[in-house]
């Protein structure tokens, strides 16, 4: 069974995650994965955190005593409105060598690559030289509570011995000025989703209000929106900038990186959003009638912070909010990091170059969040590595949560070959 067909099968299983635990769940997709693995001699467990919220974990025994390694990927997807798409988002249609549908990139395509690699190993009698743990998770598109966090907190023994992992999002090609850059993720921003509240005096709307909660929350959100977060070049971001400079044969202007990002097009998008921390107001809620001043008002904020900057980030948030605003976390996850100078990073890069001699791998820090945060809690460091050799005009980042999400079958086939090379490398023993 080829990787395109596996990806198509997974897309046709609607695993939409609305974020409120009332959705379809991941059970059907989990059963597909578990059955697929069992048919190829790999025993898999389905572990449910709540009805329908299913995870799959399997361990392939290695031939040697190397440190076990983890591949994790999520089975859930964000919602998709069929009327907005050229092809139905859950059709999994393959047209002109391209798989269409929600999850093609994020991240059923990557899960399909893992399954296709295992299928090829089963067919040819290959085993890795160390244990390989596979985890297909629920709920990544929300908080991970029913997926990766459930696994590391309630079934930690399944990951015994594991220290490193790969998952989304990295290893794909980005082309600019004839150069093929492959960003390999060595970190991602931390996440601080916050609910903030202002309390005031409830009274008639005609009265002069000196303690208006709605006005207070608006002033605070205006301060937050107007704040210019300072430039922060973390080690991972510096490594990314150095790699880009080497690839293009010229130093980047570190005094004007925003302009550099614009000049470098899609390559610039890799670092544009991880130069600074950020906090965006995303929701407001206040009042219930035009002639009543309410006693409280609230907002929600999506905060993201770079590795190592969490304490300073929250201190700045509190200063901007002011003393009259209280805050609480909806979700808080620290920013994980991986080593861009170690043997695993080098082996990932070498595996890309072996399949694409023109590949220029660089370290990469993601602006979004993944299940890496949960596995980091277990002491497992994740590299973002979902290898795809994409056409130069393919806008990979637009596929994430976007309309008409799709992925070329040839790119998935490239990814299977790269993963196979990586896991067969003898120099990964340690």
């Amino acid at each position: 069974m080829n990787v395109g067909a596996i990806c198509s099968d997974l897309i046709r299983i609607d695993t939409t995650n609305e974020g409120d635990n009332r959705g379809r769940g991941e059970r059907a997709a989990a059963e597909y994965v578990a059955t697929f693995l069992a048919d190829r001699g790999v025993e898999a467990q389905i572990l449910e955190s709540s009805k329908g919220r299913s995870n799959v974990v399997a361990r392939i025994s290695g031939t040697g005593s190397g440190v076990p390694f983890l591949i994790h990927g999520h089975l859930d997807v964000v919602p998709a409105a069929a009327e907005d798409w050229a092809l139905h988002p859950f059709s999994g249609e393959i047209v002109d060598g391209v798989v269409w549908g929600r999850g093609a990139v994020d991240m059923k395509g990557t899960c399909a690559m893992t399954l296709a690699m295992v299928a090829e190993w089963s067919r040819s009698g290959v085993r890795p030289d160390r244990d390989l743990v596979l985890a297909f998770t629920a709920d990544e598109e929300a908080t991970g509570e029913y997926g990766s966090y459930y696994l590391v907190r309630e079934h930690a023994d399944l990951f015994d011995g594991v220290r490193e992992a790969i998952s989304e999002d990295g290893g794909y090609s980005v082309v600019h000025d004839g150069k093929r850059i492959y960003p390999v993720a060595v970190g991602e921003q931390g996440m601080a989703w916050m609910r903030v509240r202002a309390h005031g005096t409830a009274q008639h709307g005609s009265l002069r209000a000196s303690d208006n909660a709605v006005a207070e929350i608006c002033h605070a959100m205006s301060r937050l929106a107007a704040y210019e977060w300072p430039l922060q070049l973390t080690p991972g971001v510096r490594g990314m900038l150095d790699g880009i400079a080497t690839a293009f044969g010229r130093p980047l202007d570190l005094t004007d990186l925003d302009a550099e990002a614009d000049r470098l097009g899609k390559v610039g998008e890799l670092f544009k959003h991880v130069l600074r921390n950020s906090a965006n107001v995303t929701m407001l809620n206040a009042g219930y009638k035009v002639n009543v001043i309410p006693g409280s008002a609230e907002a929600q904020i999506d905060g993201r912070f770079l590795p190592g900057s969490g304490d300073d980030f929250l201190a700045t948030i509190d200063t901007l909010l002011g003393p009259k605003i209280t805050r609480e976390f909806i979700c808080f996850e620290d920013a994980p990091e991986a080593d861009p100078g170690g043997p695993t990073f080098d082996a990932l890069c070498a595996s890309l170059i072996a399949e694409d001699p023109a590949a220029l791998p660089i370290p990469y820090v993601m602006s979004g969040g993944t299940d890496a945060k949960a596995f980091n809690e277990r002491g497992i460091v994740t590299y973002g590595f979902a290898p795809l050799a994409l056409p130069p005009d393919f806008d990979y980042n637009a596929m994430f949560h976007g309309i008409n999400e799709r992925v070329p079958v040839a790119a998935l086939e490239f990814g299977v070959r790269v993963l196979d090379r990586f896991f067969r490398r003898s120099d990964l023993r340690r």
Side-chain angles (χ1 to χ4, degrees):
M1 190 176 211
N2 66 53
V3 66
I6 300 169
C7 180
S8 181
D9 284 349
L10 287 171
I11 288 170
R12 285 197 294 269
I13 303 170
D14 184 352
T15 53
T16 299
N17 184 355
E18 286 90 356
D20 55 9
N21 201 33
R22 293 183 299 164
R24 299 151 185 80
E26 297 83 3
R27 180 76 195 192
E31 290 176 348
Y32 175 95
V33 169
T35 300
F36 186 100
L37 292 172
D39 288 347
R40 286 149 184 89
V42 178
E43 183 180 352
Q45 299 181 59
I46 295 178
L47 302 161
E48 279 201 350
S49 53
S50 181
K51 184 175 175 56
R53 308 311 303 274
S54 304
N55 304 271
V56 183
V57 180
R59 183 180 284 246
I60 300 173
S61 297
T63 59
S65 58
V67 177
F69 202 92
L70 168 67
I71 306 178
H72 59 89
H74 62 88
L75 297 172
D76 60 324
V77 298
V78 296
E83 62 271 19
D84 296 332
W85 288 56
L87 298 173
H88 195 282
F90 299 105
S91 69
E93 275 197 66
I94 301 177
V95 180
D96 296 329
V98 176
V99 189
W100 286 67
R102 178 59 85 219
V105 162
D106 186 18
M107 67 175 292
K108 290 180 175 178
T110 307
C111 292
M113 290 193 296
T114 300
L115 293 174
M117 179 185 70
V118 172
E120 176 57 25
W121 287 357
S122 173
R123 186 191 66 78
S124 57
V126 169
R127 285 173 60 195
D129 64 1
R130 54 185 170 154
D131 285 8
L132 179 61
V133 180
L134 312 177
F136 300 84
T137 64
D139 201 37
E140 191 275 346
E141 295 294 0
T143 63
E145 175 186 355
Y146 298 100
S148 54
Y149 279 107
Y150 164 74
L151 290 177
V152 299
R153 292 169 181 172
E154 303 298 327
H155 298 279
D157 59 301
L158 296 176
F159 306 99
D160 282 350
V162 176
R163 293 206 303 258
E164 293 182 311
I166 58 171
S167 188
E168 60 179 351
D169 154 46
Y172 57 91
S173 62
V174 181
V175 179
H176 179 76
D177 198 23
K179 307 288 187 180
R180 282 204 296 280
I181 307 295
Y182 284 82
V184 176
V186 296
E188 59 187 54
Q189 292 193 111
M191 185 166 67
W193 291 349
M194 294 169 279
R195 181 180 292 106
V196 296
R197 289 190 179 90
H199 297 276
T201 302
Q203 55 185 318
H204 196 285
S206 67
L207 301 178
R208 182 178 180 181
S210 58
D211 189 22
N212 188 322
V214 177
E216 194 63 48
I217 203 78
C218 288
H219 290 321
M221 295 306 97
S222 179
R223 290 192 297 271
L224 194 68
Y227 182 68
E228 292 287 339
W229 292 89
L231 187 73
Q232 283 188 268
L233 299 185
T234 64
V237 173
R238 282 189 177 275
M240 175 166 43
L241 297 175
D242 289 344
I244 291 170
T246 299
F248 288 97
R250 69 170 180 86
L252 300 186
D253 182 358
L254 299 184
T255 67
D256 197 0
L257 285 171
D258 293 316
E260 288 282 21
D262 292 338
R263 281 192 286 270
L264 288 166
K266 285 191 289 186
V267 171
E269 287 291 319
L270 296 174
F271 64 83
K272 184 176 185 178
H273 302 290
V274 292
L275 299 173
R276 303 169 178 85
N277 295 332
S278 66
N280 290 308
V281 184
T282 55
M283 296 178 69
L284 286 169
N285 183 31
Y288 50 88
K289 197 170 187 294
V290 69
N291 62 344
V292 177
I293 298 171
S296 65
E298 73 173 42
Q300 293 188 27
I301 299 165
D302 184 342
R304 308 286 173 139
F305 56 92
L306 290 160
S309 69
D311 290 344
D312 289 342
F313 170 78
L314 293 176
T316 301
I317 289 290
D318 288 340
T319 298
L320 293 169
L321 292 178
K324 294 185 177 180
I325 306 292
T326 61
R327 65 168 170 85
E328 63 181 9
F329 291 122
I330 299 169
C331 180
F332 181 87
E333 297 177 308
D334 209 351
E337 291 183 283
D339 181 7
T344 298
F345 180 82
D346 291 345
L348 292 168
C349 295
S351 300
L352 285 167
I353 294 169
E355 287 297 326
D356 179 3
L360 296 167
I362 64 169
Y364 169 51
V365 177
M366 290 182 275
S367 60
T370 74
D371 279 334
K373 292 180 170 65
F375 288 103
N376 189 61
E377 185 177 283
R378 180 76 173 85
I380 299 171
V381 173
T382 298
Y383 293 86
F385 192 71
L388 297 169
L390 298 165
D393 59 349
F394 191 88
D395 193 347
Y396 176 82
N397 286 320
M399 297 296 107
F400 277 81
H401 301 189
I403 295 169
N404 295 328
E405 184 180 351
R406 58 199 184 275
V407 66
V409 174
L412 296 174
E413 292 170 343
F414 170 87
V416 176
R417 295 194 301 272
V418 172
L419 292 177
D420 179 64
R421 281 186 179 274
F422 173 70
F423 285 109
R424 292 206 208 190
R425 287 180 63 90
S426 61
D427 59 353
L428 281 176
R429 294 192 189 96
R430 53 187 185 278

